[in-house]
Amino acid sequence: MRAAVVVFPGSTCDHDTYYVLKELLGVETDLVWYRETHLDPYSLIVLPGGFSYGDYLRAGAIARFAPLVQALPEYVERGRGIVLGICNGFQILTEARLLPGALTKNLSQRFLCKTVKVRIENNATALTRLFQLGEIVELPIAHGEGRYVASAETLESLKRDRQIVLRYEGENPNGSLEQIAGICDKTGTVFGMMPHPERNSEKLFGSGDGVRFFQSVLSSL
Amino acid sequence: MRLSPEEYQRICAALGRRPNELELGLFELNWSEHCSYKSSKRLLKLLPTTGKHVVAGPGENAGVIELQNTWCVAFKVESHNHPSAVEPFHGAATGVGGIIRDILSMGARPIALLDSLRFGEGAHARRLLRGVVAGISHYGNCVGVPTVGGDVAFDEAYAENCLVNVMCVGLLKKSELKRARAGGVGNKILLVGARTGRDGIHGATFASQDLIGETEAKRPNVQVGDPFTGKSLIEATLEVCQFPELIGLQDLGAGGLATAPAEMAARGGVGIALDLEEIPLRDPTMTPSEILLSESQERMVLCVQAGSAQKFVQVYRKWGLEAAVIGEVIAERVYRIRHEGRTIAEVPIELLVGGAPVGARCDVPMKRQGVGARCNVPMKRQGVGARCDVLKELLRSATIASKRWIFEQYDHTVQTNTVVGPGSHDAAVLRVKGERFGIAVTIGGNGRFCQIDPYEGGVRAVCEAVHNLISVGARPLGITDCLNFANPTDPQVFWSFEQTIRGMAKAAQALELPFVSGNVSFYNQSAERQIYPTPIVGMVGLVEDLGKLVPMGFQREGDLIYLIGQLEGGHVGGSEFMKVFYKAWWGDLDRTDIELERRLLRAMLALTDRQILASAHDVSEGGLCVAVAEKGFVRGLGARLDLGDSCEEFLFGEWPSRLVITVAPECEAPLRKTLEEFGVPYRRVGVVSGDSLEFCGERVSIAELYRIYEAALPESV
Amino acid sequence: MKEFLVRVLVEPKPELLDPQGQAVERALAELGLSAQGTRVGKYITLRVKALSAQQARARVDEVARKFLANPVIERYSLELEEL
Amino acid sequence: MKEFLVRVLVEPKPELLDPQGQAVERALAELGLSAQGTRVGKYITLRVKALSAQQARARVDEVARKFLANPVIERYSLELEEL
Ligand SMILES: Nc1ncnc2c1ncn2[C@@H]1O[C@H](COP(=O)(O)OP(=O)(O)O)[C@@H](O)[C@H]1O
Ligand SMILES: [Mg+2]
C-alpha cells in the first residue's frame, strides 16, 4: 500500500497532505513530481490543494495537461486505485473531465477562508465509508473558485448515480449548485472535494474529523 | 531624486574623476534614502539590538532569533506604501513578495505573514482598502504562506498616502542560516527567478520622495507581481540552500542589480564583476542602465562556488525558472559592470555601499495641535448619551470593528501550523510540527498617539505588542519595526522621528527586547497632508507549551473578571472615544510606567506557567468596555461589571498597561497571591454571567453588540 | 510563412449565471449608465506564424477548444488579422 | 432610442509584465502551438440604449475610462454594433 501526493508547480498543500498520510497515519507516501507517468506503484493518488500554475486562465486549466494528469484516465480505467482531488486538485480533475461539471469564481467574487459545515450525502463511497449518512463535519475551506456548476443533465446523472458525496450544510459559502462540496465519478474511484480535510486532521485544529476521510480511503484499499 | 551637490562632490573626490551616467545611476540608487538610510542611521543606533536569543540582527535581510532546540525564526516587516497608493492591488501584492524573499535569503521557509494597514475614511480610501486586501490575498494565498494576523486603522491622515506594512516570519534550524554575502575570488554570481524587464525603474528613488504632484512621468512603471513564479522561487531556493557550495544569497528589492550584488560584496569584503549580456531579459532592446536599474520582481542573486553553478541552474530550470551565471567575485573591492567585454562602470564598493554622507539635521519640536490640557470631558453634558450607546458607536468605528471581511480573504490555515489565527486572540500562534512549543506573532502601532506625543507613542507601540503576546501566554523575544513618517527634511517630522525612536528604545531596553530587523519609510505625505508619525511594531514570542495557551474570550459563567496593571489616573486623550465623539484626537497622553510594564510582563508569564488564567485580553482601542465586549463575543458570554458610576476615562480611555483577565473562582486566591508577588495592582471588576453586558446600571445584549461589531466593515466597504 | 494576430474572445455561456457581470452592471448603474445583459469574459491576444489564414485559424481553434475556453461554462470566438 | 451591443476589450498595458499571458504561452507551447506576445485581458459585453452610436460610444467610453479598465495598468478599446 503506497500513496502519492502530486507536486505541481504552485501546489501549496502538498506537504500538509503528505504530513497527514505519512506522519499521522504512517502510510508509505511519496511526493511525486507532476511529470511522473508511472503510477502503478500507487493505490492512492492525491492531487493536493494550492495554485498550480498560479491558477492562471482558470484554476486547474494548465495543470490538467501535466503528464501525470494525462496518465490518470488509464490508471482509473484499469482500476489501479483511488484518485482524490482536494480544492485545486478537484479543479484539476474537472478541467481534465475526470469529474463532471466545473468550478468557477465564488459568488462573492472574493477568496474565502473559514471553517464550514459539510454533510455526508453518501457514506457508501471509499471516501466516506467511516462516516454516518447525514453526519455533519466541520472542515476548513480556502478558495476563490469553488462554485460548483453543471448542466441540468449532469446534475441529474450525479443524483441518479449517487455521485454527490458532500454538500455544504447551512451556509453555502461559494454559491455552489445545490450546495455541492464534493463528488465522485461513475466508477466511484475518483473523488473531488473543495474543503480541506488535511487542515482539520488533528484535535489541535478542532474536531480533527478531517483525518477520517483519509482513513476511509485507506480502509477501502 | 537627484544627488545633492555635496554628495556629487564627494563622489568626484573619491573617484578622482567625474562619474559617468551609469555610475551616477548606481550612486543615485545606493545613496537613496530608501537604500542608504542616510537620514535615519544615526538614530536607529539608539535601538537595542542584542540579546541572548539573537542569532542575526540588523544589517542582514532579516533578523533571526533562536526559540528552542536550535529552531530559529527569521522575521522582518517592510513597507510598500507608495506603490500601494498608486496601484493598490499590485503595490500590496509585490510588497508581500518582497518581504517573503527577504526571509528566504536567510535560508528560512516562510511560515507566516502579517499585515498592518492604514487608510483614510472616504470613498477613495475604501477603494484603496479593497485593492490592497485583494492584492495581499492574491499573492500570499498563491504562494501558500498563511496570513495569520495584522491590524488595520482608519484616519484621514492616511487618505492619500495609505500605509501597507507587511511582516513575514520564516522558520529554520540554526545550522541552516544563510548570509547575504559574496566571497571567494573566482566564485560565481547567479541571477535566478524571473527574467529582467523594464519594471519599476527608479522605484527606490520613488520611495524616497513624496506623492506631491506625482505625475505619470515621475512614476515608475508599475511592478506586477507573479506569485506563481514567486512560489517556485521559494521551493527552488530552499532546495539549493541544502547545497554546501552555496556561499550567500540575497533578494533583489528596490534598487535591483544596482544595489544587491554590491551589498553582498560589501558584506563579504570583496568585489564583483557583472557581465550584463548574460542576464536573461524580457526585452532584448533594454539598455545597460535599464538592466541595472530594473526592479523586476521574483529575482534573487546567489554566490556559489566556482564549478558548481550547473548544479544550481538545474534546480531552477526544473522549477521552470531562469538561472544564469552573470558575474564573478573579484579581489579588487570594486563593483565592475561589463558589457560585451567592455567595462562600462566601475566604482569602489565601500564608496557605493554605505558611503553616503549621513545627514545631520536640525531638530525642532512639533507644533502641538489641539488642546494641550488633559481633557476629561463630562460626557452627559456633551450630549454623548448613555454609555451603552457610546459603546455601540465605538464598536461601529472601522478601526475597532471586526476585521473579518479582511482576514477571511486571506488563507490563514495553509501549512497546517496555525493554532490561533486572526480574529479570536490578541496574537496569532503557530505550532512547529513535532514540537511542544509554539510561536506567537503580532503586529500593530498607533499613529495618533505619536502625533500627540511621539516619545510616549514609541513606548506604547512596543508595549502594546508585548501585551498582545503575554495575553496569549507567550514570552516576547524579539522586535521588528517599520517607521512610517513624512518628509524627514521637515524639522518637525524629524523631531517626531527621533522622539519615537527614543521612546521605542526606552521600552525595549526596559523589557529586554532586541530589535533584530526593521524598515524606514519616509516621505509619506500628499499635497493635502502629512501622515501621523506611525511606528509599526512586529513582535515574535515563544509559547513554551501549547497546552498552556491562554484564550482571549470569556470561558465560563461565574469566572471572575479582573483588571490588572495601571488602575487609576488615566485620561481619554488620544482615544478612539475622542475621535468618534469629538472628531479630534487632542488631549494629552498618559505616560507609561515602564517599571510597571516590567512587572506586568513577569506576572503574566508566571500566571500562564501556573495555569491560573481562564482568559486574558489587553485594553487597547476603545478602552475597557470594548475589551470586555470583545471577550464576550468569542463565546457569546456576557458579564456583570461593578464599576460603580465610573467616569468615561475609566470605561473608554486608552491609558497604558491594562489587561482584562478572568479566573475560575477557585483560582482567585492564587491569582491575587501571584499579582502581589510581582507587585501588579489589580481590581476585581465583575463576573462572567448571562448573555448580556451590565455596567453602570445599563444593560445591553452581547448578541446585539456583536452584530454591530461584525456588520460595520462589510457595510462600509 | 505569414504572421497573424489572433484575438480569442471567451465569454460565459448565456445560460450560465455571471455574478461578475451582474456586479459590473450594478456598479455601472451607480455611475449613471443603465446597461443590460452585462457579461465579463476573457480577451486573449497572441501572434502565430502559419502558411495561411485557414491554417492559423485551425491551429488556434484547436487550442481554444481544448484549453483557452472550458466548454462546460464558456464559449469563444476567434478574430484573425494578418500582420 | 436605439439599442447597441457594446464590446469592451481590456488588455494589460504592453510595457507591463503579464504573468498570466506568459503562463498561457508556455502551456500553448506544450500543446504544440508556438505563439508570441500572448496577453490575457478582459472581454466585457453589454447592451445600452442611446439616441445615436456616438452617444452610446461616448457614454460607455466614460465608464470604461473610469471603471471598466484601470488606467494605471490597462488600456481598452470599444466596439459598437446596433441591434
Ligand atoms: N489586516 C489584517 N489582516 C489579518 N488579520 C487582521 C488584520 N487586521 C486585524 N486582524 C486580526 O483581527 C483581530 C483584531 O485585530 P486588532 O483589533 O488590531 O487586535 P488588537 O487590538 O488586539 O491588536 C486580530 O486577531 C488581528 O490579527
Ligand atoms: Mg490586543
Side-chain angles (χ1 to χ4, degrees):
Chain A
M1 163 59 215
R2 209 172 178 78
V5 175
V6 183
V7 181
F8 298 96
S11 295
T12 60
C13 308
D14 43 357
H15 290 89
D16 307 357
T17 314
Y18 176 88
Y19 176 78
V20 171
L21 287 168
K22 184 84 188 295
E23 306 303 328
L24 299 183
L25 297 174
V27 181
E28 285 304 317
T29 309
D30 301 334
L31 288 165
V32 178
W33 192 236
Y34 72 106
R35 292 195 170 279
E36 181 61 60
T37 54
H38 177 58
L39 306 176
D40 280 354
Y42 304 107
S43 38
L44 168 61
I45 298 177
V46 183
L47 308 190
F51 290 72
S52 57
Y53 300 90
D55 275 3
Y56 290 134
L57 197 62
R58 296 178 307 276
I62 299 179
R64 69 69 62 104
F65 293 105
L68 187 146
V69 178
Q70 296 287 303
L72 284 178
E74 197 224 347
Y75 177 90
V76 174
E77 254 149 52
R78 293 174 36 234
R80 286 289 304 117
I82 289 184
V83 179
L84 169 59
I86 300 169
C87 198
N88 191 232
F90 187 10
Q91 294 162 333
I92 294 168
L93 290 171
T94 53
E95 280 286 338
R97 313 282 181 269
L98 282 158
L99 287 172
L103 292 150
T104 65
K105 268 223 179 82
N106 297 350
L107 262 192
S108 69
Q109 301 296 302
R110 292 195 302 271
F111 186 97
L112 183 61
C113 176
K114 67 185 292 189
T115 292
V116 299
K117 289 188 169 63
V118 297
R119 190 168 70 249
I120 308 294
E121 292 289 305
N122 177 355
N123 68 338
T125 78
L127 182 66
T128 50
R129 56 198 301 265
L130 298 187
F131 292 86
Q132 303 296 321
L133 186 62
E135 187 175 344
I136 308 294
V137 183
E138 289 207 331
L139 291 177
I141 56 165
H143 59 251
E145 298 179 34
R147 178 174 150 242
Y148 184 80
V149 298
S151 67
E153 310 77 66
T154 307
L155 182 61
E156 259 325 295
S157 75
L158 281 174
K159 286 178 174 171
R160 192 181 52 242
D161 304 331
R162 307 202 55 212
Q163 288 173 247
I164 300 172
V165 181
L166 302 170
R167 278 202 168 92
Y168 298 107
E169 171 71 14
E171 175 197 14
N172 184 343
N174 49 30
S176 286
L177 176 69
E178 297 212 356
Q179 316 245 356
I180 290 174
I183 60 174
C184 65
D185 73 340
K186 287 202 174 355
T187 72
T189 59
V190 181
F191 295 87
M193 62 191 291
M194 284 315 292
H196 286 276
E198 79 280 9
R199 295 190 189 186
N200 181 18
S201 286
E202 293 161 87
K203 283 266 180 282
L204 197 56
F205 304 113
S207 64
D209 280 327
V211 75
R212 292 163 63 199
F213 289 93
F214 298 101
Q215 287 165 329
S216 288
V217 172
L218 296 169
S219 72
S220 67
L221 290 170
Chain B
M1 186 202 64
R2 305 243 138 260
L3 293 162
S4 72
E6 307 75 53
E7 288 170 333
Y8 185 77
Q9 284 319 316
R10 174 184 287 223
I11 293 168
C12 296
L15 292 179
R17 61 177 169 87
R18 294 172 172 286
N20 66 31
E21 266 309 304
L22 193 54
E23 292 166 334
L24 208 50
L26 289 176
F27 279 106
E28 273 188 18
L29 273 172
N30 283 275
W31 287 20
S32 72
E33 188 62 63
H34 187 82
C35 299
S36 73
Y37 286 82
K38 56 192 170 193
S39 305
S40 50
K41 235 183 211 157
R42 184 168 53 81
L43 291 175
L44 291 175
K45 288 199 169 67
L46 296 170
L47 298 169
T49 59
T50 56
K52 67 175 190 300
H53 292 275
V54 179
V55 175
E60 294 291 339
N61 284 296
V64 178
I65 59 174
E66 184 167 5
L67 301 168
Q68 259 186 26
N69 321 341
T70 77
W71 282 111
C72 299
V73 281
F75 58 101
K76 184 176 196 288
V77 59
E78 204 156 70
S79 68
H80 229 218
N81 303 340
H82 286 179
S84 303
V86 172
E87 189 359 68
F89 181 89
H90 292 293
T94 50
V96 172
I99 189 63
I100 284 178
R101 285 184 290 282
D102 273 313
I103 299 310
L104 191 56
S105 34
M106 304 306 292
R109 173 173 287 277
I111 59 165
L113 291 162
L114 297 91
D115 60 332
S116 185
L117 313 176
R118 299 291 178 271
F119 299 99
E121 297 174 303
H124 172 68
R126 288 298 191 257
R127 213 195 97 251
L128 290 176
L129 168 67
R130 286 193 300 272
V132 164
V133 170
I136 292 170
S137 150
H138 167 68
Y139 205 107
N141 298 353
C142 191
V143 294
V145 180
T147 303
V148 298
D151 91 312
V152 194
F154 300 83
D155 192 299
E156 273 309 277
Y158 308 99
E160 299 79 19
N161 197 131
C162 60
L163 300 187
V164 176
N165 291 187
V166 182
M167 171 177 173
C168 184
V169 182
L171 183 70
L172 71 159
K173 282 281 189 173
K174 201 169 182 175
S175 56
E176 298 170 325
L177 181 65
K178 297 284 177 293
R179 304 272 178 171
R181 51 177 61 109
V185 174
N187 285 336
K188 300 302 175 194
I189 302 299
L190 267 66
L191 179 62
V192 300
R195 286 176 167 262
T196 298
R198 288 197 176 83
D199 315 82
I201 286 171
H202 290 311
T205 43
F206 177 59
S208 306
Q209 63 204 11
D210 54 47
L211 292 172
I212 294 172
E214 198 264 313
T215 65
E216 279 300 329
K218 187 166 153 193
R219 175 190 299 167
N221 284 343
V222 171
Q223 306 167 33
V224 175
D226 178 2
F228 169 53
T229 299
K231 168 64 171 169
S232 298
L233 187 57
I234 293 173
E235 298 305 326
T237 302
L238 289 174
E239 224 173 292
V240 300
C241 278
Q242 303 304 322
F243 296 169
E245 298 91 344
L246 178 62
I247 287 158
L249 71 164
Q250 154 109 34
D251 62 302
L252 265 63
L257 284 169
T259 60
E263 288 165 9
M264 288 177 82
R267 292 200 192 90
V270 294
I272 284 181
L274 289 195
D275 296 297
L276 294 188
E277 65 276 10
E278 300 299 331
I279 294 171
L281 301 177
R282 225 157 63 216
D283 174 350
T285 68
M286 287 176 71
T287 68
S289 86
E290 285 177 323
I291 296 171
L292 273 179
L293 306 190
S294 161
E295 290 182 3
S296 290
Q297 298 289 304
E298 286 86 35
R299 298 180 302 163
M300 314 246 307
V301 231
L302 275 52
C303 177
V304 310
Q305 279 174 25
S308 70
Q310 225 25 47
K311 191 171 158 187
F312 287 80
V313 171
Q314 273 158 14
V315 173
Y316 285 95
R317 292 275 161 77
K318 174 184 124 204
W319 283 97
L321 300 168
E322 299 289 342
V325 176
I326 63 164
E328 61 183 357
V329 177
I330 56 177
E332 274 164 288
R333 302 173 75 166
V334 298
Y335 193 29
R336 180 178 297 149
I337 310 299
R338 296 189 295 231
H339 189 241
E340 281 139 14
R342 278 179 33 254
T343 294
I344 54 174
E346 177 166 318
V347 295
I349 292 286
E350 273 66 24
L351 180 65
L352 190 60
V353 181
V358 176
R361 309 199 181 275
C362 69
D363 309 345
V364 180
M366 190 162 33
K367 281 194 223 72
R368 301 304 305 278
Q369 309 182 24
V371 296
R374 291 184 177 278
C375 53
N376 283 343
V377 197
M379 291 200 316
K380 301 263 167 22
R381 263 193 287 108
Q382 302 284 331
V384 170
R387 294 180 170 94
C388 282
D389 302 330
V390 174
L391 178 54
K392 291 176 191 170
E393 270 320 300
L394 289 176
L395 291 171
R396 201 173 275 120
S397 109
T399 297
I400 291 175
S402 168
K403 308 302 188 299
R404 183 174 308 280
W405 184 88
I406 293 171
F407 62 70
E408 280 188 347
Q409 294 185 56
Y410 302 152
D411 187 340
H412 44 83
T413 48
V414 66
Q415 290 192 19
T416 59
N417 296 324
T418 311
V419 177
V420 170
S424 62
H425 291 63
D426 286 312
V429 179
L430 302 151
R431 62 109 173 247
V432 174
K433 293 188 174 85
E435 300 284 348
R436 278 178 76 84
F437 69 86
I439 305 164
V441 290
T442 183
I443 191 170
N446 185 321
R448 206 185 316 143
F449 290 167
C450 291
Q451 178 71 6
I452 297 172
D453 179 346
Y455 181 90
E456 172 63 15
V459 170
R460 293 219 196 165
V462 170
C463 291
E464 188 186 346
V466 169
H467 298 160
N468 284 337
L469 291 186
I470 57 181
S471 293
V472 299
R475 171 190 302 277
L477 290 185
I479 306 176
T480 182
D481 70 299
C482 186
L483 299 169
N484 304 273
F485 284 74
N487 183 340
T489 61
D490 173 334
Q492 290 190 1
V493 170
F494 198 73
W495 174 81
S496 65
F497 181 69
E498 167 159 11
Q499 290 298 305
T500 303
I501 290 179
R502 291 189 182 283
M504 297 200 317
K506 172 80 173 122
Q509 255 138 14
L511 301 169
E512 291 156 36
L513 289 169
F515 285 80
V516 295
S517 62
N519 174 240
V520 177
S521 171
F522 281 130
Y523 303 96
N524 290 289
Q525 62 191 67
S526 66
E528 283 70 25
R529 68 202 109 212
Q530 300 180 330
I531 65 158
Y532 295 156
T534 311
I536 296 299
V537 166
M539 200 176 285
V540 172
L542 177 71
V543 178
E544 259 146 35
D545 177 355
L546 281 175
K548 295 185 176 180
L549 259 185
V550 181
M552 178 179 101
F554 291 141
Q555 296 300 302
R556 271 168 256 81
E557 286 201 60
D559 282 358
L560 306 170
I561 307 170
Y562 273 77
L563 178 67
I564 67 172
Q566 186 72 50
L567 300 182
E568 268 109 31
H571 301 76
V572 288
S575 65
E576 193 67 16
F577 168 79
M578 288 303 293
K579 175 164 179 285
V580 170
F581 290 95
Y582 299 93
K583 306 282 167 276
W585 42 258
W586 35 257
D588 282 1
L589 286 189
D590 304 289
R591 284 283 174 120
T592 299
D593 171 352
I594 298 201
E595 259 317 300
L596 175 59
E597 284 287 338
R598 284 170 63 91
R599 301 200 296 272
L600 192 58
L601 169 58
R602 292 212 210 81
M604 282 299 289
L605 293 176
L607 289 168
T608 301
D609 189 52
R610 299 171 193 176
Q611 296 186 272
I612 291 169
L613 297 169
S615 77
H617 183 27
D618 69 316
V619 176
S620 59
E621 288 91 351
L624 177 62
C625 280
V626 167
V628 170
E630 287 174 342
K631 288 173 77 74
F633 294 157
V634 178
R635 290 192 170 192
L637 285 171
R640 229 179 309 109
L641 302 179
D642 38 43
L643 308 173
D645 184 30
S646 8
C647 55
E648 282 61 38
E649 302 53 60
F650 188 73
L651 300 177
F652 307 113
E654 294 175 18
W655 26 294
S657 316
R658 289 184 301 167
L659 265 60
V660 187
I661 61 177
T662 62
V663 291
E666 61 270 25
C667 293
E668 185 169 28
L671 171 72
R672 290 168 175 259
K673 192 177 150 301
T674 309
L675 291 173
E676 282 154 15
E677 175 187 337
F678 289 91
V680 173
Y682 56 81
R683 169 173 165 190
R684 183 167 147 178
V685 292
V687 57
V688 179
S689 84
D691 55 9
S692 57
L693 196 58
E694 294 175 46
F695 64 109
C696 309
E698 298 180 31
R699 179 180 228 276
V700 56
S701 99
I702 287 291
E704 182 187 354
L705 294 175
Y706 187 61
R707 267 192 304 279
I708 294 171
Y709 174 77
E710 284 295 338
L713 200 52
E715 279 167 8
S716 68
V717 293
Chain C
M1 266 316 205
K2 301 174 184 152
E3 186 168 36
F4 299 87
L5 174 68
V6 189
R7 313 154 104 199
V8 186
L9 301 172
V10 182
E11 59 186 334
K13 276 187 171 177
E15 65 267 28
L16 211 75
L17 170 71
D18 174 17
Q20 194 178 1
Q22 290 178 335
V24 168
E25 193 163 293
R26 261 180 266 114
L28 290 178
E30 295 199 352
L31 292 173
L33 180 77
S34 90
Q36 287 80 37
T38 309
R39 316 280 291 171
V40 180
K42 294 197 190 74
Y43 171 48
I44 303 161
T45 54
L46 46 87
R47 295 194 313 274
V48 288
K49 292 197 170 56
L51 295 169
S52 67
Q54 296 88 312
Q55 193 196 36
R57 176 178 292 276
R59 296 176 55 200
V60 177
D61 188 65
E62 190 198 341
V63 292
R65 192 161 15 83
K66 274 209 302 212
F67 169 54
L68 296 177
N70 177 346
V72 179
I73 48 172
E74 298 166 324
R75 63 181 191 190
Y76 67 92
S77 60
L78 300 184
E79 292 173 5
L80 238 75
E81 176 188 323
E82 182 167 350
L83 295 171
Chain D
M1 269 310 205
K2 300 174 186 154
E3 186 169 36
F4 298 87
L5 174 68
V6 190
R7 313 154 101 201
V8 186
L9 300 173
V10 182
E11 60 186 334
K13 277 190 181 174
E15 67 269 23
L16 295 191
L17 171 69
D18 176 17
Q20 183 161 225
Q22 278 187 345
V24 168
E25 190 163 294
R26 263 186 252 112
L28 289 174
E30 299 242 329
L31 292 176
L33 179 76
S34 88
Q36 287 80 38
T38 309
R39 319 279 290 173
V40 180
K42 277 197 259 100
Y43 170 47
I44 303 160
T45 52
L46 46 87
R47 296 194 312 274
V48 288
K49 294 198 171 56
L51 296 169
S52 68
Q54 296 88 313
Q55 192 194 34
R57 175 177 292 277
R59 296 179 54 202
V60 176
D61 188 66
E62 191 197 340
V63 291
R65 200 167 359 89
K66 271 210 234 130
F67 172 69
L68 296 177
N70 174 349
V72 181
I73 53 171
E74 297 168 324
R75 64 181 190 188
Y76 68 93
S77 61
L78 300 183
E79 291 173 5
L80 240 75
E81 176 187 323
E82 183 166 352
L83 294 172

